[in-house]
Amino acid sequence: MIARHKFLCALFFVLLFGSAHAESPLAQPEPHARPPRAAIASANSQATDAGIEILKAGGNAFDAAIAVSATLGLVEPESSGIGGGAFMLLHIAANDQQVFIDARERAPLAATRDMYLGADGEPLRERSINGALAAAIPGLPAGLVHLAKRYGKLPLAASLAPAIKLAREGWTFSSKNAAMLGFRREVLATNPAAAALFLANGQSPKPGDRLSNPDYAAMLQRLAENGEASFYEGKFAQSLVDGVRAGGGIWSMQDLASYRVVERPVLRIEHRGQQIITVPPPSSGGVALATMLNIMAGFDYVKLPRVARIHLLTESMRRAFRDRALYLGDPDFVEVPVALLASPEYAAGLRAGIHPTKATASAALPGIGDFSDRPSTSHFSIIDTDGNLMAMTQTVNLPFGNAFVVPGSGFLLNNEMDDFSAKPGTPNAYGLVGEDANAIAPGKRPLSSMTPSFVIGPDRIAAIGTPGGSRIITMVLLGILDLMDGGSAEHAAALPRLHHQYLPDVLSAEPAALDESEISELQAMGHTVSAGERSWGNMQVVVWDKQANTVEAGSDPRWKGVGKASTADDGVIFR
Ligand code: DON
C-alpha cells in the first residue's frame, strides 16, 4: 500500500514538473562521445612509444596495436612474439561492435594425443617445454596481417616501421629481460641461434645494453611487403620447417600453409549494471569470469566484511577452475557448453553448494582428481580518440618460449603445446589439470587462460588484461571488480592479488594482499592459505570516463620503469 502511494506521488510529481531527471540540478551531463586523448599501457616503454608514434601518424588503436605487438616481440622476447600467438579483443567505436580475433597457435598436424608421455605413461615435461617439439604453429604473424587489413587505417608497413627500425638500430635490454633470462639461461645456451641472440659471447646482456636483431627486421619487412604468405609459405616457411625438424620437431609445410586466424563472437557478461566483454574458448578466461561473477552476483558482497568477501571469491574461483579442467577446450574440436556455463542459472546451482563460513575442499567437488608467477606473456590496452579500444594478450607461453630459435629467423618459438593436457588430471607448468576436452589433437588450439577484456559501464569504459598463466583469470576478475567499484586504471593494475585454481587446493596471496588476522580467519574457515608469495602478473589498463571526459592508463607497478602507461600527461595530445 505504502509502495503504491509512493509511486502515485512520484507520478504526480513527474506530471506536474516534467521528468525529475530534466529538472534536477544534479542531472548528469551528456556523456562525451569521444575521448579527449588516446592512451596506451604496455609492459615495455619502447612498445608504448612505438604505439604512440603510430597514433600520432594518424593510425587508429588497431594500427597502434600492431606497432606495440611487433615491438613487444622484439624487446620482450621472454613474453611474446612472432613465434607465438595472441588473443585480440577490439571495440570498434564507429558501429559499436566488438570483435574477437583468435590468433592462437595450433598443434601441428602430426601431433598425437600421447606425444609427451614416456614409456611409463607419465608426461615427459621437458619435451613439452624445451626445444622444437614443444612448439605449436604460430598465429601472431597472421593475426597482425588480419588486423591491419580488416581494421587498420594505415598500411601494415607503416605500423610495423617502428619495430623494424628498433630491430635494425638497437633496442634497450631491461631489468625484466635480465631477470627472465637468468631463469632460462641454461636452456637458451643449448640452442646456438638462441644463444647468438640473447647470450652473445656466452654473456647475458646487462640492463641498458643495446641489442640489434637484423633477422627480425628483415622478417617484419617481408611481412609488411608480402603479407602472411611471406611467413607461412615459400622459402621462409621452408626454413622454419627445416629448422624445427632438425631440432626434433614435427612441423610440416602444410601446417604453416593451413594456419588461419578465426574471428569468434565475443562473450558478454552482465554484472551490477555493467557489461563485461571478454573472450570465449579457446580461452578459458571468459567462461571462468562469467561463472565467478554470476556466482558472486547472488551475494550482496559489496556490503560484506573483507574476509567474507574473500571467502566467497575463493569459492567462486575454485568452482570456475574445476569446470575449466572438465569442460573447456578448443571449440572447433570439442563441444564446450559455453551458454550453460556462463548462465546465471548454472551459477545459482554452484552457489548453493557454498557454505557462508566454511571452505569446500576441492577434493570434495565432483570431478577429477611453478612457473605460475613468471610474467612471460604480455598484455597491452589501447584507446584512441575515436573511442576504439584494443585489449590484446600475446604469448610464447613460458619465459623465452621453448628457448629455440630457427637460425636466421630472429625470433623464439613458443612452447604452447604445454597448455594442452598431456595426460588427464596431470598438472601442466601452471599446475592446471585438464581432461579430454583439452587433449592434444592435430590442428587443435591448446586451451588458454589469456583474458583480454572490456568493462563497459554507464560512465566508464575500460580495457584490461595481464599475463600470469592460470592466474590471469583471477587477476582480471579482481581488476574488473575494482574498476566497477570506481578504481582508477593505476589502482586496478596495482591491486594486491589473491588466487585459487581448484587444484592445488590453496589460496595464494601476494605479500600485501592479506594481513595476519585475515589469514587466521580464512584458515579457521578451512582455507589453506599460502600468503606472502612472490608477486605475480603485469597488468595494463586504460580507462575512459565519459562523464568526466578523462582518459587514464595504468601500468603494473610490479615492473616499474619497464612498462609504460602513456596519456596526454606525457604531453601527447592527438587532436
Ligand atoms: O595461454 C595461456 O594461458 C598461457 N600460455 C599463458 C602464459 C602466461 O601467461 C605466462 N605468464 N606467466
Side-chain angles (χ1 to χ4, degrees):
M1 194 61 205
I2 291 175
R4 188 180 147 84
H5 175 74
K6 273 192 180 160
F7 171 74
L8 288 176
C9 282
L11 186 65
F12 182 59
F13 182 87
V14 170
L15 288 175
L16 259 185
F17 302 109
S19 102
H21 176 78
E23 288 298 309
S24 164
L26 297 175
Q28 294 272 313
E30 275 302 302
H32 292 265
R34 296 163 82 112
R37 57 185 63 92
I40 300 180
S42 95
N44 191 289
S45 58
Q46 295 161 100
T48 299
D49 291 347
I52 297 279
E53 187 182 327
I54 292 304
L55 289 170
K56 279 178 165 172
N60 62 15
F62 314 124
D63 299 308
I66 294 167
V68 174
S69 170
T71 305
L72 285 172
L74 175 74
V75 305
E76 217 198 10
E78 71 273 16
S79 291
S80 68
I82 287 293
F87 288 156
M88 309 176 185
L89 187 63
L90 291 73
H91 169 76
I92 300 146
N95 58 10
D96 203 19
Q97 295 277 309
Q98 288 92 27
V99 175
F100 168 43
I101 302 173
D102 168 1
R104 180 75 164 162
E105 302 92 325
R106 278 175 36 155
L109 296 168
T112 58
R113 186 187 168 98
D114 297 335
M115 63 189 277
Y116 298 114
L117 301 186
D120 60 356
E122 290 307 311
L124 296 165
R125 306 305 319 292
E126 175 73 13
R127 289 197 198 165
S128 63
I129 290 181
N130 296 329
L133 191 62
I137 305 304
L140 189 62
L144 296 182
V145 174
H146 183 86
L147 189 59
K149 262 195 208 148
R150 279 266 175 103
Y151 302 102
K153 271 166 61 181
L154 301 180
L156 181 61
S159 305
L160 289 177
I164 294 174
K165 183 162 183 265
L166 213 52
R168 281 205 187 111
E169 295 177 5
W171 57 281
T172 308
F173 196 78
S174 74
S175 55
K176 177 172 178 283
N177 297 140
M180 295 297 131
L181 187 59
F183 191 59
R184 292 286 271 164
R185 205 194 137 101
E186 278 177 26
V187 201
L188 287 163
T190 62
N191 177 255
L197 272 182
F198 306 114
L199 297 167
N201 309 317
Q203 297 293 313
S204 306
K206 288 181 206 46
D209 283 358
R210 289 182 67 86
L211 310 182
S212 63
N213 187 341
D215 289 337
Y216 189 82
M219 178 273 307
L220 286 188
Q221 191 68 49
R222 289 192 301 271
L223 202 62
E225 282 162 15
N226 303 319
E228 60 192 284
S230 73
F231 187 95
Y232 292 93
E233 293 167 34
K235 224 167 94 190
F236 185 67
Q238 190 65 59
S239 76
L240 289 179
V241 169
D242 292 346
V244 163
R245 294 187 86 93
I250 52 174
W251 288 17
S252 67
M253 287 296 278
Q254 197 195 344
D255 278 321
L256 289 166
S258 62
Y259 183 85
R260 297 285 178 275
V261 298
V262 184
E263 286 202 0
R264 304 180 191 274
V266 300
L267 191 66
R268 293 172 201 280
I269 308 163
E270 299 288 336
H271 190 74
R272 281 167 52 199
Q274 304 206 26
Q275 203 175 63
I276 287 116
I277 297 180
T278 185
V279 289
S283 171
S284 58
V287 172
L289 274 184
T291 304
M292 295 185 293
L293 289 168
N294 287 338
I295 291 178
M296 292 303 286
F299 299 111
D300 202 0
Y301 65 87
V302 178
K303 298 205 186 104
L304 286 177
R306 222 176 97 81
V307 169
R309 184 172 168 170
I310 290 172
H311 166 67
L312 296 175
L313 278 169
T314 307
E315 292 306 315
S316 309
M317 292 173 185
R318 182 196 312 282
R319 284 157 178 79
F321 273 87
R322 184 206 77 121
D323 287 353
R324 179 194 196 279
L326 271 183
Y327 304 120
L328 295 190
D330 182 350
D332 295 340
F333 281 72
V334 291
E335 209 167 303
V336 184
V338 174
L340 173 77
L341 295 174
S343 71
E345 295 75 18
Y346 178 73
L350 296 179
R351 194 185 310 120
I354 298 178
H355 191 284
T357 57
K358 281 201 185 84
T360 311
S362 287
L365 290 178
I368 54 173
D370 177 44
F371 269 99
S372 52
D373 50 2
R374 313 280 176 181
S376 53
T377 301
S378 211
H379 176 86
F380 58 88
S381 298
I382 303 181
I383 183 161
D384 68 19
T385 47
D386 288 328
N388 294 313
L389 274 181
M390 181 73 165
M392 177 159 166
T393 314
Q394 55 184 45
T395 187
V396 287
N397 197 24
L398 298 179
F400 290 89
N402 66 350
F404 184 90
V405 173
V406 170
S409 69
F411 55 87
L412 288 156
L413 297 180
N414 66 83
N415 54 8
E416 228 68 60
M417 291 298 284
D418 193 66
D419 276 348
F420 280 116
S421 173
K423 183 184 175 190
T426 306
N428 74 354
Y430 301 102
L432 287 168
V433 289
E435 291 285 298
D436 287 349
N438 191 30
I440 303 173
K444 189 175 174 182
R445 285 160 149 88
L447 186 62
S448 173
S449 300
M450 295 188 294
T451 316
S453 301
F454 301 143
V455 184
I456 313 262
D459 298 336
R460 298 203 310 165
I461 286 181
I464 182 170
T466 178
S470 54
R471 296 174 192 219
I472 291 172
I473 303 172
T474 53
M475 282 185 263
V476 171
L477 170 73
L478 299 179
I480 286 174
L481 292 176
D482 189 59
L483 290 169
M484 291 179 95
D485 286 344
S488 66
E490 268 183 36
H491 190 264
L495 206 64
R497 291 162 183 157
L498 293 160
H499 173 76
H500 195 294
Q501 61 177 50
Y502 167 57
L503 294 176
D505 190 349
V506 172
L507 174 60
S508 305
E510 281 190 329
L514 297 173
D515 65 26
E516 285 305 320
S517 77
E518 289 168 339
I519 295 171
S520 309
E521 270 188 74
L522 287 162
Q523 284 169 336
M525 289 174 156
H527 293 283
T528 303
V529 182
S530 168
E533 290 190 6
R534 197 172 28 225
S535 61
W536 60 85
N538 198 0
M539 184 169 273
Q540 311 295 331
V541 186
V542 295
V543 176
W544 170 30
D545 187 325
K546 290 183 174 187
Q547 294 292 349
N549 203 25
T550 54
V551 167
E552 34 157 359
S555 185
D556 202 315
R558 289 161 186 79
W559 291 98
K560 221 178 170 52
V562 180
K564 182 169 174 185
S566 228
T567 65
D569 303 334
D570 302 320
V572 182
I573 302 181
F574 303 108
R575 70 171 68 244

